[in-house]
Amino acid sequence: MRSQGKLCRAGLSKPKPVVLIASVNGDIDIDASVKAVRELSNADDDVYSDDFLNFIVIQTPSQIQPRLDELDLTIRTAQGCRSVLGIFSRATNDQDLVPPGPYYVYESDIHQVSLLRYDYLDAFMFTVVQSESDPQKSVPRILRS
Amino acid sequence: LKCSRDTGCIRFSVLDGVAGDGMSKKVAVPSRRYAQPPNDSQPLAGMRISIKDNFQLAGVKTTNLSRSFSELYPPDGESADYVKELLKLGAIVLGKTKMSAFASSDEPTDQWIDYHCPFNPRGDGYQSPSGSSAGAAVSVAGYDWLDISIGTDSKFA
């Protein structure tokens, strides 16, 4: 299943780790975006790592085209990341935005990341993944070792 | 009708594959960032949980740790009401844990006939994990990436 949103830049043949951050109220606020990245870096999340911070993807609630060059330079200077990879336009209102966090970009689409752990204590009968309940809103998943 | 946590129609698929040791199952642990912070309507938002294999989980078999029972019944069509409520509250189900057959008082390890019991994370791993919710106890005690494990106390087992 594919999500509705697409990156505005060309597709990638290999999954690339990115941090997805959301625009504020449909507009791009550079200060808020940088702050969002910093908060993500400090969050208690064992799936997130600094590898994701190399590239930023800005999510917009509509087909807004911000000034990518300025945004790119500001975030790169503030965070030491390499660049803004692109703009991810998906939904028409703030409620349908994909949650900010670590993702993979693959073939112009955003994919959730699940870290693979191992049941070395043999505690589980089955391990499961949640199926995509709503293809219109769901985000595909990539498993990461 | 759109499927959402509120409608209770979330389905699951079994994650295939084992680790390089050929034995340990893979567990897919999602980022905590995909859930909103816990709130009044979803106090379990983003919490990673395991459930005992006597709860129905839509799309997955319930074995009760009995090979005969597992062969007899197909994957469950819907989740148990209790599981639906957990999902509605925001919990993320990572898997179903082992138990003594039919939640009986079978004592590990020699009385677990159809499946081997979990390893106790305490000590050398060979102390009894007890039961019946052995997998629930072992998973939440042994894995720091798991927040909550649901077991049962079957009074008349």
Side-chain angles (χ1 to χ4, degrees):
Chain A
M1 292 293 182
R2 309 299 297 271
S3 60
Q4 276 185 317
K6 294 293 175 191
L7 277 176
C8 66
R9 289 189 177 176
L12 300 167
S13 58
K14 287 184 177 180
K16 183 182 288 295
V18 304
V19 166
L20 181 76
I21 59 178
S23 63
V24 178
N25 298 324
D27 199 359
I28 300 295
D29 183 326
I30 293 177
D31 290 336
S33 298
V34 172
K35 183 181 177 185
V37 173
R38 285 189 172 136
E39 288 176 350
L40 188 67
S41 304
N42 296 328
D44 178 23
D45 184 5
D46 49 3
V47 175
Y48 175 84
S49 73
D50 287 343
D51 294 342
F52 290 93
L53 199 55
N54 286 333
F55 294 97
I56 304 290
V57 171
I58 308 293
Q59 181 178 206
T60 61
S62 59
Q63 298 294 333
I64 298 171
Q65 295 297 322
R67 294 167 298 175
L68 253 184
D69 292 343
E70 182 179 342
L71 189 66
D72 188 355
L73 179 62
T74 303
I75 290 181
R76 186 169 47 195
T77 302
Q79 294 295 321
C81 65
R82 284 191 285 190
S83 66
V84 173
L85 189 64
I87 303 296
F88 179 66
S89 296
R90 173 187 172 90
T92 55
N93 61 67
D94 291 344
Q95 294 178 339
D96 289 335
L97 292 175
V98 176
Y103 289 84
Y104 274 98
V105 169
Y106 180 54
E107 292 183 344
S108 300
D109 212 342
I110 291 285
H111 298 252
Q112 283 191 355
V113 186
S114 286
L115 193 61
L116 282 178
R117 302 285 194 173
Y118 299 100
D119 179 26
Y120 62 89
L121 294 170
D122 205 14
F124 286 88
M125 190 66 196
F126 301 105
T127 57
V128 301
V129 290
Q130 187 173 312
S131 302
E132 293 164 18
S133 53
D134 183 351
Q136 296 302 309
K137 289 186 175 182
S138 63
V139 179
R141 183 183 299 104
I142 284 182
L143 304 179
R144 177 179 191 241
S145 297
Chain B
L1 181 65
K2 283 189 175 180
C3 183
S4 68
R5 289 184 178 274
D6 288 341
T7 59
C9 56
I10 296 173
R11 295 185 65 80
F12 294 83
S13 303
V14 174
L15 180 63
D16 295 325
V18 294
D21 63 7
M23 296 180 290
S24 303
K25 295 181 184 71
K26 294 178 178 177
V27 188
V29 180
S31 169
R32 296 185 188 278
R33 299 291 302 190
Y34 300 147
Q36 298 296 324
N39 52 55
D40 289 344
S41 62
Q42 288 203 318
L44 300 181
M47 301 289 273
R48 302 159 179 171
I49 71 168
S50 64
I51 61 172
K52 189 174 175 177
D53 195 18
N54 56 356
F55 287 103
Q56 291 187 336
L57 188 65
V60 182
K61 281 196 172 193
T62 297
T63 73
N64 281 302
L65 269 284
S66 163
R67 291 162 65 97
S68 302
F69 188 90
S70 179
E71 289 177 10
L72 192 59
Y73 295 102
D76 291 314
E78 64 177 318
S79 297
D81 288 346
Y82 187 87
V83 174
K84 288 179 183 175
E85 189 63 22
L86 288 171
L87 296 171
K88 185 178 176 182
L89 295 175
I92 308 295
V93 177
L94 300 189
K96 303 182 79 175
T97 54
K98 288 184 170 180
M99 52 186 272
S100 56
F102 298 107
S104 67
S105 56
D106 292 348
E107 182 63 27
T109 61
D110 61 319
Q111 294 177 5
W112 283 48
I113 305 301
D114 285 357
Y115 298 92
H116 196 278
C117 65
F119 293 94
N120 191 327
R122 174 178 286 183
D124 65 0
Y126 289 93
Q127 297 182 69
S128 168
S130 192
S132 61
S133 304
V138 164
S139 63
V140 78
Y143 300 138
D144 59 4
W145 39 262
L146 185 69
D147 299 312
I148 299 171
S149 192
I150 306 297
T152 59
D153 182 6
S154 303
K155 189 172 183 179
F156 300 105

